[in-house]
Amino acid sequence: MPCKTRRHAVVLGGSIAGLLATRVLSEHFEQITLIERDCILGNASHHKGVPQARHVHVLLARGLEIVTQLFPDLADGLKAQGATELDFGADVGWYQLGDYKCHFNSGINVLCQSRLLLETQIRQRVAALMNVTILSEYTTLGLKSTPDRKSITGITFHRNGAAEQNESLDADLVIDAMGRGSPSSQWLEALGYEKPKVSQVTAEIGYTSRIYPRKPNDLGGLKGFILSPTPPHEKRGGVVSPIEGDRWMVTLMGYLGEHAPTEEQGFLNFAQSLPTSDIYDLISQTQALSPPIPHRFRSSLRRHYEKLSRYAEGYLVLGDALCSFNPIFGQGMSVAAIEAQVLDACLKTSPEDLTDLPKHFFRKAAQVINAPWQMVTGEDFRYPEVIGKRSLNIAALNWYISKVYRATHRDTIVYGAFIQVMHLVRSPQALFHPNILLRVLKGSCPRSVGRQLESKAS
């Protein structure tokens, strides 16, 4: 039951991070108001605040576990709408460092669907909560605070198209889930707070996506495919993911300006230029159901709120507003889910008046972010042209991780540990366990079942 002094919370931003935060808050506050700039009610459709939604998304195993704890009927709802359940080790083909990874039953299961379906299903469940109000097509203007500016007490906002009719909401807690373009740093600075330090890794990612019909014998019977470029010379890759409606979503990506074109022949030529022909063979033999849609992602961005010496009471930041990852690695939604779990734990242990909640939340959230941030940026730094602060041990770490990748071509034990780390089920330290370390460095394990995709159907 909500604490008696926790009357009202406001969540800014109605994408997945904001929706999950709202769901958590519903167990701790009498009333929650979620405010979103775009139109998110009524018929399901893409909205401007999530330009990446038309591309491949994945809710990693850890993220799926948390989200289905928050919404126990979500998995059934997604599957009823056509989502595909798959075992990541057995059902996904992955070409990396010149060979295909082996196939085995990993026990790491995920659901594949479009971002639109996932977000719509979550939003419907949040909107049905008795103590939640969603204000769609409203713009947040700024923060309200106590006279001494020690605490945030609410927000000012207006309905889109009615800028002359500003409104205000009082709140015991305000959460910014407005994405990487969040104005929180500026708002807090205007109230006399220090701006958080920012870590940025610029890799100039671009990707282009199309939707194709899906047939059971595509990709040799596999349910998905990943092609990772080999740095530093290869910069192009791609992903094929099943989505609802018996369709494939195909995303072609590239580093450092190597971006797939948006015209028909250019898109096909880009696919044909990849190190293997698997994606080209798939898309060249069927008619696309959608035009090529591009998206550009210049840099991963992390705001270090955990390092501030002073916090505004009653104000938190999470999701992409806290850390925005290179989307190629699919970490964003799952990290947002873990942050929602951290929020829940912090609220359970914080005093009713939420004293020191920001300090505790930001420090615990930083611990959650550290591992995926290091994994993602470490991969980006394999390209010398990528701009950002490199750690002193990055070369040695990447040398070892390359050995891990090569071991995954033949060794199901190493690949199993890697999949668990990738899906945030285990810490990256699992890859340095003595048993894994020995198998990786010796490289003497017999090759198991890594192979060309065509052989799976034979």
Side-chain angles (χ1 to χ4, degrees), residues 45-48 50-57 114-116 207-211 243 249-251 290-295:
S45 61
H46 293 285
H47 52 101
K48 293 180 180 178
V50 191
Q52 72 276 23
R54 298 176 187 269
H55 306 273
V56 168
H57 277 71
S114 69
R115 166 69 180 257
L116 178 61
Y207 46 101
T208 306
S209 298
R210 302 190 78 175
I211 295 174
I243 62 171
M249 181 173 284
V250 177
T251 293
S290 71
I293 302 294
H295 182 66

Side-chain angles (χ1 to χ4, degrees), residues 81-336:
Q81 293 294 314
T84 298
E85 186 172 18
L86 57 82
D87 180 296
F88 200 85
D91 297 323
V92 178
W94 191 342
Y95 184 90
Q96 186 177 38
L97 290 188
D99 205 349
Y100 296 85
K101 297 183 186 295
C102 55
H103 290 274
F104 74 110
N105 292 322
S106 67
I108 298 296
N109 298 310
V110 296
L111 287 172
C112 293
Q113 62 281 307
S114 69
R115 166 69 180 257
L116 178 61
L117 176 60
L118 177 63
E119 190 169 317
T120 300
Q121 289 279 310
I122 293 174
R123 185 185 305 116
Q124 289 173 351
R125 286 160 174 77
V126 170
L129 296 171
M130 296 298 294
N131 59 342
V132 170
T133 300
I134 297 179
L135 298 181
S136 177
E137 298 183 90
Y138 281 80
T139 297
T140 304
L141 304 174
L143 304 176
K144 297 167 56 182
S145 71
T146 54
D148 61 5
R149 300 184 174 184
K150 183 179 179 181
S151 300
I152 302 304
T153 60
I155 63 162
T156 58
F157 66 109
H158 63 66
R159 181 188 289 273
N160 294 352
E164 70 284 354
Q165 300 177 15
N166 290 350
E167 303 177 54
S168 66
L169 272 177
D170 293 333
D172 303 292
L173 177 65
V174 177
I175 293 182
D176 168 15
M178 291 186 287
R180 66 179 283 136
S182 159
S184 281
S185 296
Q186 291 75 25
W187 287 349
L188 293 171
E189 186 180 36
L191 293 173
Y193 291 89
E194 176 188 2
K195 275 188 173 183
K197 294 180 180 179
V198 174
S199 294
Q200 191 164 342
V201 177
T202 302
E204 299 291 353
I205 302 296
Y207 46 101
T208 306
S209 298
R210 302 190 78 175
I211 295 174
Y212 293 83
R214 174 162 54 101
K215 300 183 291 295
N217 61 340
D218 289 343
L219 297 174
L222 291 171
K223 296 180 181 179
F225 182 69
I226 303 170
L227 195 159
S228 299
T230 300
H233 303 298
E234 294 177 1
K235 297 182 174 68
R236 298 180 175 189
V239 180
V240 180
S241 178
I243 62 171
E244 63 278 6
D246 292 322
R247 298 174 296 166
W248 293 116
M249 181 173 284
V250 177
T251 293
L252 302 181
M253 51 72 58
Y255 276 89
L256 299 163
E258 292 281 342
H259 302 161
T262 57
E263 50 89 16
E264 182 84 26
Q265 192 58 49
F267 189 83
L268 283 172
N269 290 345
F270 190 98
Q272 194 171 26
S273 74
L274 299 176
T276 72
S277 66
D278 301 293
I279 296 178
Y280 176 76
D281 291 344
L282 173 69
I283 67 175
S284 63
Q285 297 172 14
T286 187
Q287 183 68 39
L289 301 175
S290 71
I293 302 294
H295 182 66
R296 301 292 178 260
F297 185 90
R298 185 169 185 269
S299 59
S300 298
L301 184 69
R302 181 178 182 182
R303 297 181 172 100
H304 293 278
Y305 281 93
E306 79 279 5
K307 295 183 179 181
L308 295 178
S309 59
R310 189 168 67 98
Y311 298 94
E313 294 181 5
Y315 195 71
L316 301 178
V317 180
L318 54 71
D320 280 0
L322 189 57
C323 186
S324 174
F325 298 90
N326 179 342
I328 288 172
F329 301 98
Q331 309 277 19
M333 294 191 299
S334 297
V335 172

